[in-house]
Amino acid sequence: MGSLADKLTVVFADAFESAGYDRSYGEVRVSDRPDLCQYQCNGALAAAKRYRTSPREIAQNVVDTIRAPEVVRDLSLAGPGFINVVLTDEYIARHVQEVHDDDRLGCEAVARPLRIMVDYGGPNVAKPLHVGHLRAAIIGESIVRICRFVGHEVIGDVHLGDWGLQMGLIIAALEESRPDLPYFDHDFAGHYPDDPPVNIADLEEIYPKAAERQKTDLEFAESARQATVDLQAGRPGYRALWQQFRDVSVDDLRQSYEQLNIRFDLWLGESDTQDRVRGLIARLKQEGYALESRGALIVEVGEPGDREEIPPLMLEKTDGAVLYGTTDLATIEQRVEQFTPDLILYVVDNRQQQHFKQVFKASYKTGVAPESTRLEHDGFGTMNGKDGKPFKTREGGIMKLKDLIALVTDHARARVEAIESVREYAEDEKEDISRIVGVAALKYADLMNHRTKDYVFDLERFSSFEGRTGPYILYAAVRIKSVLRRAAERGLQPGRILAPLSESERDLDLKLSELPGTIALAFETRAPNHLCEYAFQLATAYNRFYHVHHMLNEEDAQRRDSWLALSEVTLRVLERVLDLLGIEVPRRM
Ligand code: ARG
């Protein structure tokens, strides 16, 4: 069914056609001057060039053909040839009723769904999940949800970093401190212990120390390098140990993601390419794509006409270890084989732009990806501290995601407990609300900026119940729930939606109709920020309406029930948008 703008576009396309012009000029959009009109059509300006007529004349001809008194209240020409549109209140109300009656709230699902894979999150096993990974997970989850709602078939993959040097560093460090463990005994033939020798806290301590140490301790760096090679080559003790590191990490990661309302369909990682990576390298060598270069193996990806030089993709180091790019290439091969995706989206930090350029070019060049699989890097900026540098803890260390979640929850708790109605709730409900509000503050603040931009972490501002914040929008949603609950307690039912009585009611009606266009834009640009802005505007429109019309005291029953229906559809739209952002809504607060 589409939005009001979509419906008007049909009316205008018809009009352009009957006036003797091409239909394609009939596009109507929401007015950027809401003080003058609700919708506008600027097609006459473009048509003027083609038909060598003045745009005002074309616009006038179009306006003269439109006979739709039940739809249009006012049509006027403005400026060089814009057509300004004001709709009848009855038509607007009829549309909102249709939105209300539609499961998909007016949004049509795509006719031809694509199969889309989304690679997001990208945490590294054994390394703490830090705020750098936060954006990948938050933005990626929203993109997954948007693609899915639009009607595509979506497969989200966490793509664990579990096959690189960090594994060798931990193995080497543990081998040194616990040489007695059977994993390090070459002759060990028994069953390795079922319980891992380390827990997540140990891993989080061992890794940063080892990473620091390798910078100065060359002997240690060498054993870590060797351990990485041996692990990749299949040394049984290392494999067993590695598997346990991975399990311990994944358990911990799942918990953090769960609290953030983030769910992956696949928990694959770099290591899942181990069975195919050697075969791939052999083929690329044989077909002349992989070249020897100073002992290492590379794929040239630069081309003669390139504007800037792009370095080759490294496949194998001199010692035979494979790299980040190799596993990415093999992962594409695997995804293509297993899923034949039309599109693979990589939601990864902007700073890896060059890496993905190399990987994508190498994939097409070597036939790993067919032309029919589109590879796309959707990069994002950094979350900075107030000093403008990547966000750190107060002590200057990297902030772990778990600690960040605790921080936002604690911060929200103080504010949530200050809400009068919340005081009497049971402790665990308060706790749940605090987490939901804290995470909403964090996610909304992250998603409201265009993903490619950096932004500053400012918990005070994120957590305010005023302005463009998660808590403000949750509060609006919960307020609607409470109105509907009170109405239900009095036995009142939402009725038919009537023509708006006031400007604030009309504004709310019009806002409700903008959902399809907003989702389409967010999908096309992979940019959830459009949904954040929309949620804010819708919440604000509802709040204005709520303050003007005292629903439950209204004596005209039809009017009251119409407002209840309007509240109901507003809540559904708001909840839908929040769900697309990956933000939960508490039952009450
Ligand atoms: N693990 C990587 C990192 O921490 C991110 C992985 C992104 N995905 C990919 N297919 N390379 O930087």
Side-chain angles (χ1 to χ4, degrees):
M1 111 197 204
S3 63
L4 275 174
D6 297 331
K7 289 181 175 172
L8 286 173
T9 295
V10 176
V11 173
F12 273 73
D14 289 348
F16 268 88
E17 200 168 61
S18 353
Y21 311 106
D22 196 85
R23 305 182 56 77
S24 62
Y25 295 109
E27 190 189 322
V28 173
R29 39 189 169 96
V30 175
S31 163
D32 46 29
R33 284 290 304 274
D35 51 325
L36 297 180
C37 60
Q38 297 162 345
Y39 288 88
Q40 63 192 58
C41 173
N42 302 345
L45 276 81
K49 294 198 190 79
R50 169 147 160 214
Y51 297 102
R52 296 172 194 275
T53 314
S54 92
R56 276 193 79 94
E57 191 180 321
I58 295 179
Q60 190 62 56
N61 289 340
V62 169
V63 166
D64 290 343
T65 8
I66 295 182
R67 293 272 168 279
E70 69 293 349
V71 177
V72 174
R73 189 174 82 203
D74 185 46
L75 279 181
S76 57
L77 293 202
F82 304 123
I83 305 172
N84 288 348
V85 189
V86 178
L87 301 174
T88 66
D89 283 342
E90 291 68 26
Y91 185 69
I92 295 174
R94 200 154 9 110
H95 180 77
V96 176
Q97 182 70 53
E98 284 177 38
V99 175
H100 178 279
D101 297 345
D102 181 13
D103 276 348
R104 291 183 52 90
L105 300 162
C107 305
E108 279 165 28
V110 281
R112 280 200 273 134
L114 301 175
R115 182 173 292 167
I116 304 179
M117 294 195 75
V118 186
D119 179 311
Y120 68 112
N124 299 313
V125 163
K127 294 194 201 176
L129 186 57
H130 59 73
V131 295
H133 295 105
L134 175 74
R135 297 206 74 192
I138 291 180
I139 299 168
E141 178 72 17
S142 178
I143 291 178
V144 164
R145 288 166 182 246
I146 293 167
C147 293
R148 201 166 272 153
F149 182 70
V150 167
H152 299 295
E153 184 192 339
V154 186
I155 304 166
D157 182 13
V158 69
H159 198 73
L160 292 169
D162 60 356
W163 208 228
L165 179 66
Q166 88 265 24
M167 306 308 317
L169 284 165
I170 303 171
I171 293 175
L174 196 66
E175 182 150 15
E176 197 180 85
S177 63
R178 306 274 307 275
D180 53 298
L181 291 173
Y183 308 94
F184 305 120
D185 177 358
H186 272 287
D187 302 323
F188 185 76
H191 179 76
Y192 291 108
D194 289 326
D195 287 331
V198 290
N199 60 26
I200 188 70
D202 301 329
L203 284 178
E204 287 177 353
E205 200 183 304
I206 300 173
Y207 172 75
K209 275 197 192 144
E212 203 43 44
R213 185 170 158 207
Q214 64 152 348
K215 292 186 192 155
T216 49
D217 184 342
L218 295 182
E219 206 175 308
F220 176 69
E222 174 55 24
S223 30
R225 188 196 59 75
Q226 190 59 48
T228 313
V229 173
D230 292 348
L231 168 71
Q232 292 186 354
R235 181 170 157 176
Y238 286 4
R239 282 296 177 97
L241 194 53
W242 165 83
Q243 185 63 52
Q244 293 186 328
F245 292 161
R246 185 179 148 134
D247 293 347
V248 165
S249 263
V250 167
D251 270 353
D252 181 62
L253 288 169
R254 278 184 196 274
Q255 279 174 32
S256 289
Y257 286 133
E258 190 57 43
Q259 290 195 305
L260 290 171
N261 197 24
I262 290 171
R263 287 180 205 102
F264 298 95
D265 303 304
L266 300 177
W267 279 82
L268 296 176
E270 296 167 356
S271 69
D272 289 287
T273 63
Q274 55 181 285
D275 293 336
R276 62 171 67 237
V277 80
R278 297 290 158 199
L280 174 62
I281 291 176
R283 170 173 84 78
L284 299 191
K285 264 190 185 157
Q286 201 186 8
E287 295 176 6
Y289 293 120
L291 309 171
E292 201 98 15
S293 166
R294 279 182 267 145
L297 207 56
I298 60 162
V299 179
E300 290 284 2
V301 291
E303 283 161 68
D306 285 351
R307 255 186 290 141
E308 48 192 271
E309 205 187 320
I310 141 156
L313 181 77
M314 263 267 244
L315 285 185
E316 211 178 72
K317 295 203 291 179
T318 26
D319 62 9
V322 297
L323 297 109
Y324 186 42
T326 330
T327 52
D328 259 329
L329 201 61
T331 303
I332 294 176
E333 187 188 66
Q334 180 178 35
R335 287 175 178 164
V336 167
E337 248 177 60
Q338 200 176 344
F339 300 106
T340 52
D342 300 293
L343 177 63
I344 307 180
L345 303 179
Y346 290 81
V347 184
V348 186
D349 199 314
N350 279 336
R351 286 173 290 194
Q352 296 194 26
Q353 193 184 353
Q354 163 126 317
H355 166 78
F356 286 109
K357 254 195 201 146
Q358 295 171 309
V359 170
F360 296 172
K361 280 183 179 262
S363 301
Y364 290 125
K365 180 175 177 177
T366 59
V368 161
E371 292 297 331
S372 56
T373 296
R374 201 172 129 184
L375 304 170
E376 180 180 309
H377 174 209
D378 298 316
F380 54 80
T382 314
M383 179 168 117
N384 288 324
K386 290 199 175 126
D387 58 0
K389 301 202 190 98
F391 183 68
K392 296 259 160 66
T393 61
R394 244 179 237 184
E395 295 73 37
I398 44 174
M399 171 76 83
K400 289 181 214 155
L401 198 50
K402 270 181 282 189
D403 298 339
L404 182 64
I405 295 170
L407 184 73
V408 296
T409 305
D410 287 345
H411 198 86
R413 191 180 299 112
R415 290 174 186 245
V416 164
E417 284 179 350
I419 303 173
E420 224 177 84
S421 50
V422 172
R423 284 196 198 130
E424 68 209 43
Y425 299 172
E427 279 313 309
D428 46 349
E429 184 173 356
K430 280 188 202 166
E431 192 53 30
D432 213 37
I433 297 175
S434 303
R435 180 191 59 84
I436 293 176
V437 172
V439 170
L442 182 67
K443 283 191 157 191
Y444 187 88
D446 189 288
L447 292 168
M448 71 177 263
N449 307 285
H450 188 273
R451 64 180 156 74
T452 55
K453 293 215 187 106
D454 297 348
Y455 71 97
V456 173
F457 182 83
D458 180 346
L459 198 48
E460 214 48 55
R461 196 163 52 81
F462 297 175
S463 314
S464 166
F465 276 99
E466 302 294 331
R468 287 178 168 76
T469 70
Y472 171 75
I473 292 162
L474 288 190
Y475 202 76
V478 168
R479 160 179 281 167
I480 305 176
K481 288 192 186 188
S482 135
V483 171
L484 294 172
R485 206 161 31 228
R486 275 183 288 143
E489 278 160 15
R490 298 189 198 173
L492 305 178
Q493 291 294 331
R496 282 209 70 75
I497 292 177
L498 304 176
L501 270 194
S502 66
E503 196 166 317
S504 65
E505 184 175 359
R506 187 180 303 110
D507 287 347
L508 176 58
D509 285 344
L510 291 172
K511 213 22 99 188
L512 284 167
S513 120
E514 289 174 25
L515 180 70
T518 311
I519 292 179
L521 180 62
F523 169 70
E524 280 153 22
T525 54
R526 331 283 188 227
N529 61 305
H530 299 295
L531 290 170
C532 287
E533 181 59 25
Y534 178 71
F536 171 73
Q537 290 182 13
L538 183 61
T540 305
Y542 185 82
N543 286 343
R544 290 213 185 101
F545 157 81
Y546 176 89
H547 288 297
V548 173
H549 300 292
H550 300 275
M551 282 173 263
L552 297 183
N553 298 334
E554 174 61 40
E555 282 167 13
D556 176 345
Q558 280 189 357
R559 182 51 66 183
R560 179 196 62 209
D561 298 347
S562 157
W563 284 336
L564 290 175
L566 187 57
S567 298
E568 193 177 57
V569 64
T570 304
L571 176 63
R572 279 172 52 219
V573 171
L574 211 47
E575 286 190 306
R576 167 54 65 198
V577 173
L578 288 168
D579 183 65
L580 294 177
L581 295 170
I583 295 176
E584 297 170 79
V585 184
R587 199 171 62 85
R588 56 177 193 172
M589 75 188 193

